[in-house]
Amino acid sequence: MWNSERSHSNGGGGGGGGGGSSGNNTKTLGMTSAISTAEPKPEDLQKTQELEKSLEPYNVFEAESELNHRMEILAKLNTLVKQWVRDVSISRHMPEATAEKLGGKIYTFGSYRLGVHHKGADIDALCVAPRNIDRSDYFGSFFELLKQQPEVTECRAVEEAFVPVIKMNFDGIEIDLLFARLALKEIPDNFDLRDDMLLKNLDQKSVRSLNGCRVTDEILRLVPNIDNFRLALRTIKLWAKRHGIYSNSLGYFGGVSWAMLVARTCQLYPNAVAATLVHKFFLVFSRWKWPQPVLLKQPDNVNLGFQVWDPRVNVQDRFHLMPIITPAYPQQNSTFNVSSSTRKVMLMEFNRGMQITDDIMMGKQMWDKLFEAPSFFYRYRHFIVLLVTSSNADDHLEWCGLVESKIRYLIQNLERNQHINLAHVNPKCYEQHEQNPAATLNAGGGADANQTPAAFCSLWFIGLEFERTENLNVDLTESIQSFTDSVHKHAVHIKLLKDGMKIEARHVRRKQLASYLDANLLKRERKISDSYPTTPNNSSGGSGNNGSAPPSPSHGAGGGGTVGGHTARKRKSSENLSNANTSGCSSPASTAANGSATKKRRNDSFDGASNTSFDRLNEPNEQSPPASQTPPEEDVGSEPLSSGQENAPEADAQTSSSSPSEQHRNGTEAESASPPSSDAATTAAVIDDDGSCPATKANGADSRSSSSSSNNNNNSSKSNGSSSSNGANSTPTAAATTEVVCS
């Protein structure tokens, strides 16, 4: 019932069967026909065996005993749900015989349901109850029942979240348990959630909760070979985590987004084995014409009144930067949190992955090279460090969760500053370095020898890349103040703020990182930065100079473009991925480095001739040709949302660093912030947070609208020409200085 290797008859197979070899597929999966249906060659099978072996040291596979332990826990939880439904019903004077038949069931979704969870991973689960059980019962009597169980620890309810959830540790396994109440009298054990009519007359929270299970099952149904899909997805998930681009809450891709990208690759190469799929994954998505959406199938024509992702109808959907659309009704964009900065970072990693997998498939590198983590702390010269402190473990867990869910709004605030080219948040949360009191919060922003360190302190780091301008003075006070104020205000609103909870943001230079991080970590980062190859300027897939890779020296002011202190080198022609001489290498979402403002293309028009566009990509078992032989890529990534959509009205071009649709996601509120003054002499990057809730701009729809307007208006003046030349990392000339000083 809860086995992650569940039967393929209900969970997958699509056109080619569940596991094993799929043979020649006659059924087309996805929005377009396959690029290649070629069978794998012996060398592809060998590369797949090497790939699977290279994954073993990273604990991405669980032993059989651990899988059985998970199933035992889910069985206990399922029994607990049935007992709870029965007891609540009897307490409301329902006959006992009738109450026994009501049922109730636990469903799984996410990485565990997909069969790609790693050792020690949590389980995403859904509690489905009949119509006589209310949500208030779930967060009331059931929550109390869970806390009484001897196996349950760290049990907490997050009822105010966009998708309400109970989080707990059940016998050593972390479980996130959602709740959905169906309009049915009974919930039988063999009940299937894929029927769209189940959503009729349900509330929004139940629909959102059901969406996880429905999307996961649909993904498995739409891939031609589940075993190959799983191994390729394990690889991509590990790569994304090692490269710091795995976090939906911080604006990167989450687990379901990576799963849908890998599933789309499987549809395009239905007979390819895992090694080939990984290689083709980077080929396809390093050239994808974002913001063209990624879709696994034609959207369902169901009209139950729920809003679906459709840029022809919903204006906010036109500003999504990297849309990946879920395949189950109601279709949603799983990547609405992506910002301009996280987009640049991910595009750079796609291109690096393309180079590395090219070398692997040609025998020049081993698979371990793909999982080498790049240096973060030696990539930038300036950082903002967020220090989050609490007085006890339970408070700290809740406080860190709230702050992490809000960090993307700080990124958006920073992106509005015309002098900041990139605000790169590191998704890893660091604990306070015990040897360094500088990481202790205090009102003055520095170390206080007489101050008692907080019991619990966590840190997030944001690397800043400034434009290259002589004598640059940047004021980040308003950007940081609006962020910290909004966090406190939201904590007060949901009654989470308690004594000892504090948040502080500081500007630090690279040489000051030793006060916050372990010396051994910094040594490893320095060693990585000395050996890690620098990515050249040309970013395929439409990143242009607004993409991820720093420009070549010829594009920088004074010719000093660097990455982590190393001068950017040109890529050899054999490594080039369709450079600027091909007509389609620049995305409609960005412009060339000519000093003009970056313009994000809206998603309200689609190329109706794009159904056959993927046949221009290379065959799966051939190496990528040199730049002079690489096919034009202008049509890559142009998947139509639906027939006739090429005639959708074209809206006026606007600029945007982030999606205004983020304003109503995840139960958080978008903060409105005035554009920081650019003529200030210093930056007051330290905010005095005493736990109070200072006056902030109004939340709600008005505030969110103001945030979007500020975002669009201020970014129109942001230049991307020479200003994107990695100013934070480059060595300035004698006359060029960047003043970012703590007040």
Side-chain angles (χ1 to χ4, degrees):
M1 185 184 300
W2 309 284
N3 193 344
S4 61
E5 308 291 331
R6 197 167 115 171
S7 65
H8 300 148
S9 61
N10 187 35
S21 176
S22 59
N24 291 324
N25 291 279
T26 58
K27 182 179 178 180
T28 298
L29 295 173
M31 298 288 293
T32 65
S33 59
I35 296 175
S36 172
T37 58
E39 294 291 334
K41 297 178 181 179
E43 52 264 34
D44 298 323
L45 298 174
Q46 177 64 30
K47 288 292 182 185
T48 299
Q49 292 176 358
E50 295 173 359
L51 171 61
E52 188 167 8
K53 186 175 181 180
S54 70
L55 291 174
E56 293 177 358
Y58 297 98
N59 292 323
V60 299
F61 301 106
E62 252 188 344
E64 191 68 26
S65 59
E66 294 167 327
L67 288 171
N68 292 334
H69 179 56
R70 288 178 182 269
M71 295 185 66
E72 291 172 0
I73 289 175
L74 289 170
K76 291 179 182 178
L77 196 55
N78 192 67
T79 301
L80 208 59
V81 167
K82 292 179 181 293
Q83 173 192 332
W84 165 66
V85 170
R86 172 185 174 277
D87 293 344
V88 170
S89 302
I90 292 176
S91 68
R92 293 173 180 168
H93 310 294
M94 180 180 287
E96 185 172 343
T98 304
E100 290 283 355
K101 300 177 182 178
L102 293 180
K105 187 178 178 182
I106 292 293
Y107 293 84
T108 60
F109 61 99
S111 61
Y112 176 77
R113 174 67 185 91
L114 289 171
V116 295
H117 62 285
H118 59 81
K119 191 173 183 178
D122 64 354
I123 297 176
D124 295 312
L126 170 68
C127 171
V128 175
R131 64 191 180 193
N132 65 306
I133 304 296
D134 297 323
R135 188 174 301 276
S136 58
D137 297 323
Y138 177 74
F139 285 101
S141 57
F142 185 67
F143 179 63
E144 294 300 323
L145 179 63
L146 286 173
K147 292 196 293 184
Q148 295 171 9
Q149 305 306 308
E151 304 97 334
V152 175
T153 59
E154 301 176 11
C155 189
R156 59 195 185 279
V158 190
E159 193 171 356
E160 304 83 5
F162 186 69
V163 182
V165 60
I166 291 178
K167 295 175 175 284
M168 61 183 150
N169 186 305
F170 200 115
D171 199 11
I173 301 295
E174 294 286 340
I175 297 179
D176 291 347
L177 189 61
L178 311 182
F179 174 79
R181 172 199 182 209
L182 299 184
L184 299 174
K185 183 179 179 181
E186 299 176 358
I187 307 296
D189 287 338
N190 60 348
F191 193 70
D192 194 339
L193 298 177
R194 289 186 295 172
D195 185 2
D196 293 333
M197 291 299 108
L198 288 175
L199 306 181
K200 191 174 182 179
N201 299 325
L202 294 190
D203 61 277
Q204 284 281 0
K205 291 183 178 179
S206 289
V207 172
R208 294 187 199 118
S209 299
L210 287 166
N211 200 40
C213 293
R214 289 164 51 82
V215 167
T216 303
D217 284 349
E218 196 69 7
I219 290 173
L220 290 174
R221 189 183 69 84
L222 291 169
V223 295
N225 185 303
I226 290 183
D227 288 343
N228 290 336
F229 164 75
R230 283 173 171 159
L231 184 55
L233 181 54
R234 286 183 188 274
T235 303
I236 295 302
K237 283 166 63 77
L238 175 61
W239 164 80
K241 290 176 181 178
R242 297 283 293 173
H243 285 251
I245 54 174
Y246 190 104
S247 175
N248 178 65
S249 63
L250 293 179
Y252 300 107
F253 291 171
V256 69
S257 300
W258 292 116
M260 286 189 286
L261 292 188
V262 174
R264 185 69 187 113
T265 308
C266 292
Q267 291 177 341
L268 296 173
Y269 300 90
N271 295 329
V273 290
T276 304
L277 289 172
V278 171
H279 183 214
K280 296 307 178 183
F281 170 90
F282 291 109
L283 172 65
V284 171
F285 293 109
S286 64
R287 299 180 179 187
W288 195 268
K289 287 177 61 177
W290 307 104
Q292 288 288 349
V294 177
L295 301 104
L296 296 182
K297 70 172 188 176
Q298 191 77 20
D300 296 324
N301 187 19
V302 181
N303 186 14
L304 295 178
F306 299 108
Q307 180 173 310
V308 299
W309 187 89
D310 190 344
R312 301 168 301 175
V313 178
N314 308 315
V315 175
Q316 66 271 21
D317 293 344
R318 302 174 190 176
F319 296 93
H320 292 177
L321 301 181
M322 303 179 77
I324 303 173
I325 311 306
T326 56
Y329 176 84
Q331 295 83 10
Q332 303 293 322
N333 176 21
S334 66
T335 60
F336 52 80
N337 286 339
V338 171
S339 69
S340 176
S341 290
T342 55
R343 175 183 179 273
K344 292 178 184 179
V345 173
M346 287 188 287
L347 286 176
M348 176 174 60
E349 295 300 340
F350 279 135
N351 287 316
R352 284 177 172 171
M354 182 67 221
Q355 296 176 47
I356 294 172
T357 52
D358 270 346
D359 289 344
I360 291 172
M361 299 306 284
M362 289 188 288
K364 296 180 180 179
Q365 296 284 356
M366 302 299 292
W367 284 106
D368 290 341
K369 184 68 176 178
L370 185 64
F371 308 128
E372 288 184 3
S375 173
F376 174 80
F377 293 105
Y378 280 87
R379 183 172 165 185
Y380 304 100
R381 294 185 181 276
H382 298 272
F383 298 86
I384 287 178
V385 55
L386 289 178
L387 299 97
V388 181
T389 58
S390 305
S391 56
N392 62 71
D394 292 337
D395 289 352
H396 195 63
L397 194 63
E398 292 183 317
W399 187 224
C400 284
L402 176 63
V403 172
E404 185 175 21
S405 71
K406 293 281 192 176
I407 290 177
R408 69 179 185 274
Y409 295 124
L410 174 58
I411 301 301
Q412 294 172 23
N413 291 348
L414 295 172
E415 287 176 344
R416 295 186 188 109
N417 190 301
Q418 61 181 342
H419 300 297
I420 295 179
N421 290 331
L422 182 68
H424 181 180
V425 57
N426 187 337
K428 181 176 175 58
C429 177
Y430 294 85
E431 299 305 316
Q432 180 182 11
H433 183 31
E434 297 178 358
Q435 303 298 324
N436 296 304
T440 301
L441 285 178
N442 59 74
D448 186 350
N450 298 322
Q451 181 175 347
T452 303
F456 297 88
C457 180
S458 298
L459 303 91
W460 279 274
F461 292 85
I462 302 171
L464 298 179
E465 177 184 302
F466 293 99
E467 67 175 345
R468 291 195 49 137
T469 304
E470 293 185 1
N471 302 320
L472 177 63
N473 299 313
V474 185
D475 183 5
L476 303 180
T477 304
E478 287 192 50
S479 299
I480 294 174
Q481 182 73 60
S482 65
F483 166 73
T484 54
D485 288 354
S486 72
V487 172
H488 279 107
K489 187 170 185 177
H490 189 68
V492 170
H493 176 70
I494 63 176
K495 299 179 182 179
L496 182 144
L497 192 64
K498 300 175 184 177
D499 291 340
M501 290 183 174
K502 296 182 181 180
I503 178 175
E504 180 181 347
R506 301 178 186 172
H507 163 257
V508 298
R509 297 177 183 271
R510 185 196 298 165
K511 62 184 179 182
Q512 299 171 308
L513 290 175
S515 299
Y516 301 88
L517 297 168
D518 182 73
N520 293 328
L521 169 64
L522 293 176
K523 287 179 181 178
R524 290 196 300 270
E525 286 265 330
R526 181 59 180 269
K527 184 177 180 180
I528 294 172
S529 69
D530 290 340
S531 60
Y532 204 84
T534 303
T535 306
N537 178 34
N538 298 77
S539 296
S540 301
S543 61
N545 208 35
N546 193 35
S548 53
S552 60
S554 61
H555 288 183
T562 63
V563 176
H566 300 284
T567 303
R569 61 178 176 83
K570 295 182 179 179
R571 186 190 297 167
K572 295 180 180 179
S573 60
S574 61
E575 299 172 330
N576 211 329
L577 301 176
S578 294
N579 285 322
N581 23 4
T582 61
S583 60
C585 70
S586 293
S587 166
S590 62
T591 58
N594 56 5
S596 60
T598 300
K599 302 223 176 200
K600 301 290 185 294
R601 176 182 169 184
R602 295 184 177 191
N603 292 305
D604 54 355
S605 64
F606 299 88
D607 183 3
S610 58
N611 278 316
T612 59
S613 61
F614 283 96
D615 58 7
R616 299 195 180 195
L617 287 173
N618 301 324
E619 291 301 305
N621 295 309
E622 295 176 355
Q623 302 302 330
S624 298
S628 59
Q629 302 175 20
T630 304
E633 59 193 69
E634 62 259 18
D635 293 327
V636 175
S638 301
E639 289 188 349
L641 180 61
S642 62
S643 60
Q645 228 175 24
E646 63 272 16
N647 297 321
E650 188 72 34
D652 293 336
Q654 296 187 19
T655 58
S656 174
S657 292
S658 59
S659 166
S661 64
E662 297 171 9
Q663 53 197 257
H664 55 82
R665 311 289 190 184
N666 293 335
T668 57
E669 301 154 348
E671 300 81 36
S672 59
S674 302
S677 172
S678 60
D679 57 354
T682 60
T683 293
V686 179
I687 306 303
D688 181 12
D689 296 308
D690 56 1
S692 61
C693 179
T696 61
K697 301 168 182 62
N699 286 328
D702 293 339
S703 172
R704 298 195 275 273
S705 176
S706 173
S707 175
S708 300
S709 174
S710 173
N711 179 16
N712 293 336
N713 294 336
N714 283 285
N715 270 281
S716 62
S717 63
K718 187 170 180 178
S719 173
N720 281 306
S722 60
S723 66
S724 62
S725 301
N726 203 13
N729 304 320
S730 57
T731 304
T733 59
T737 60
T738 301
E739 290 293 335
V740 187
V741 184
C742 295
S743 61

